[in-house]
Amino acid sequence: MTGNESGRERILDVATRLFAALGYDGTSTRMIAEAAGLNVATVAYHVGGKRDLYLAVMERAHLAERAALEGALAKITFDAEGILTLLDAYIDFCLSRPEIPALWMHRWLSDASDVAHLEEQYVRPLMEIVVDAARKVVPDGIDIEYAVWTVIWSTHGFGCGGVLSVDGQRRGREDPDAVARFRSHMRRTVALGLGLTDRLAG
Amino acid sequence: MTGNESGRERILDVATRLFAALGYDGTSTRMIAEAAGLNVATVAYHVGGKRDLYLAVMERAHLAERAALEGALAKITFDAEGILTLLDAYIDFCLSRPEIPALWMHRWLSDASDVAHLEEQYVRPLMEIVVDAARKVVPDGIDIEYAVWTVIWSTHGFGCGGVLSVDGQRRGREDPDAVARFRSHMRRTVALGLGLTDRLAG
DNA sequence: CGTGATCAATCAAGCGATTGACCGAATGCG
DNA sequence: CGCATTCGGTCAATCGCTTGATTGATCACG
């Protein structure tokens, strides 16, 4: 991620990448140690057990996501254009740091009850932020929560796996055309879905 | 799934459930054997190695999904209402057999190259079916592919993990109210997104 | 008695975790 | 100053356990 830190930070970076790519069960502490250029015992020295490491990774991911979201929220105006700018910022974040949506998708798929508190702790406050912002703009009678979830699911889906076209090509975050298509599709979907059609997106 | 078959079918049922819930790496052959009431060697006798079992599970899941989709497609008319009926059928399928979206979400998150052909083999033909159907109905200038992917991502997301509301409650496929809200949200999203607004959904 | 199905037992490899030793840079002290 | 001590960081080695896979024996039944 940031590059050449040492010790605990490098371990967290490497673990984030591996947990995102391979999932919790698919990643071994030895893989993480090797990728970080450290002995497995050194990793344990810095971050404790595998579960502690995972929790630390998830917390860091949440903090980054929250910072991105709050940073974007501080800049927008509360009108249709502002909501679409917020959407753009979220897409930017998910595409520039795809490990983070991947971590969450893995988390959602697992029903390991000992980390089930992560959603309550991390996802819900972000939902509140976004839904509150949308409420100021969106007309009554629109199901904001489900609209937000559609944005989350779609952006995570595109960011993690991309799209399989009917021509058999797989396109994703590294393909600028696909990104542009995804972005304008999402702008249109959100604008229509939230009833912001007086100011239709490009 | 179907109940009290024996041998290979029961193994595939159990494996489907476990792979969907815990992922490939999170599921051991011993878990599958125990859940099927068989010895681990008997499982191997019927289905071969773990990888073969996984491939058989994915093939069966695909056949079920394809059958559901083609069955629904055979019944619809090619107009706005038909597209929405197709959407309903897909939602029904994903909610009644949530292991199947879960299997696919796990598959998409993993980049194990030795099973990367599964998308090409299984997902693409289904995409073709749906996109072709939509093309007969949807006005020009609309990005059908991305609209379909938004439906897939959202339906899989809701079917596998449900929704976390701002009130902290987690609601999903087992909550009739949440299902109703999700369904009408998706009908509305698809109708607006595909420009079928002359026949707006309930 | 032969055939398909099942099992307990076993294998090498990998897992998460821990131990005790080692190293070099601070730190303490005579 | 010079030497001993402490301490954060690192490592090879090891522990007990689980993994995927295989073997050879056993069972039921036609």
Side-chain angles (χ1 to χ4, degrees), chain A residues 38-49:
Chain A
L38 292 173
N39 184 277
V40 61
T42 308
V43 172
Y45 169 79
H46 281 291
V47 296

Side-chain angles (χ1 to χ4, degrees), chain A residues 20-176:
Chain A
L22 307 170
Y24 184 82
D25 292 314
T27 306
S28 70
T29 56
R30 284 169 166 83
M31 286 185 204
I32 295 169
E34 188 181 5
L38 292 173
N39 184 277
V40 61
T42 308
V43 172
Y45 169 79
H46 281 291
V47 296
K50 188 186 183 184
R51 185 130 241 119
D52 305 299
L53 174 54
Y54 176 74
L55 292 177
V57 162
M58 291 305 280
E59 183 181 12
R60 239 176 42 139
H62 162 70
L63 291 178
E65 189 166 1
R66 185 183 190 108
L69 218 45
E70 288 180 337
L73 204 71
K75 288 186 204 147
I76 69 167
T77 52
F78 287 94
D79 53 16
E81 188 55 39
I83 296 296
L84 294 179
T85 305
L86 193 61
L87 167 68
D88 259 336
Y90 186 65
I91 293 176
D92 285 339
F93 175 77
C94 286
L95 297 187
S96 69
R97 308 208 40 192
E99 334 87 47
I100 292 180
L103 284 173
W104 276 114
M105 293 191 71
H106 273 118
R107 172 67 205 90
W108 278 319
L109 281 173
S110 139
D111 45 348
S113 55
D114 54 342
V115 290
H117 68 284
L118 290 179
E119 275 102 27
E120 177 69 15
Q121 188 176 351
Y122 291 151
V123 178
R124 183 182 159 190
L126 301 188
M127 275 297 288
E128 280 180 0
I129 291 176
V130 175
V131 171
D132 283 350
R135 258 197 248 281
K136 299 180 185 170
V137 180
V138 171
D140 283 349
I142 286 187
D143 200 331
I144 296 180
E145 275 187 0
Y146 281 73
V148 170
W149 276 105
T150 283
V151 169
I152 294 174
W153 289 321
S154 297
T155 309
H156 285 198
F158 181 77
C160 295
V163 140
L164 190 78
S165 299
V166 288
D167 63 13
Q169 281 290 315
R170 179 120 178 208
R171 299 174 223 273
R173 114 188 68 92
E174 62 293 325
D175 179 337

